[in-house]
Amino acid sequence: RFHQYIVDASGNGKLKEIYDGIIMTLTMYRNTTLVRGNSLEVSLMEHSRIVNAICSGNPVEARQAMIDHVESSQRRMHATQDD
């Protein structure tokens, strides 16, 4: 729901279209990666950083926090595939 809220709040139709097209795949990977180690806690901390940046009106930090979250999520996903 967090990701859907961010997409909806962005008001970006193209982003919504892309997100809607990949949500099933993302959900599959989330279900396998977030149950490993401290992945859920890390992801929640990343979400908190994103929310804090948005709420403080800092688009540069929000953008960087989102990039960092995506990259971190990708690393967790690839680590799962390597197992």
Side-chain angles (χ1 to χ4, degrees):
R1 293 183 189 168
F2 174 80
H3 299 104
Q4 185 68 55
Y5 177 78
I6 296 294
V7 169
D8 291 344
S10 76
N12 184 325
K14 186 63 174 175
L15 177 61
K16 181 171 177 21
E17 182 182 321
I18 292 168
Y19 182 78
D20 289 347
I22 63 170
I23 186 61
M24 294 305 287
T25 302
L26 286 175
T27 299
M28 181 184 70
Y29 283 114
R30 285 182 198 144
N31 290 340
T32 58
T33 60
L34 292 178
V35 296
R36 294 175 163 265
N38 67 341
S39 291
L40 180 58
E41 291 83 7
V42 170
S43 185
L44 292 175
M45 287 188 309
E46 293 166 353
H47 287 177
S48 180
R49 181 177 165 213
I50 292 166
V51 169
N52 289 337
I54 291 169
C55 289
S56 68
N58 187 340
V60 173
E61 174 60 19
R63 180 180 186 275
Q64 188 59 55
M66 289 183 195
I67 290 169
D68 292 347
H69 176 56
V70 168
E71 290 174 350
S72 176
S73 297
Q74 287 175 330
R75 285 191 299 276
R76 287 191 296 272
M77 180 187 68
H78 290 300
T80 301
Q81 290 175 334
D82 292 341
D83 289 346

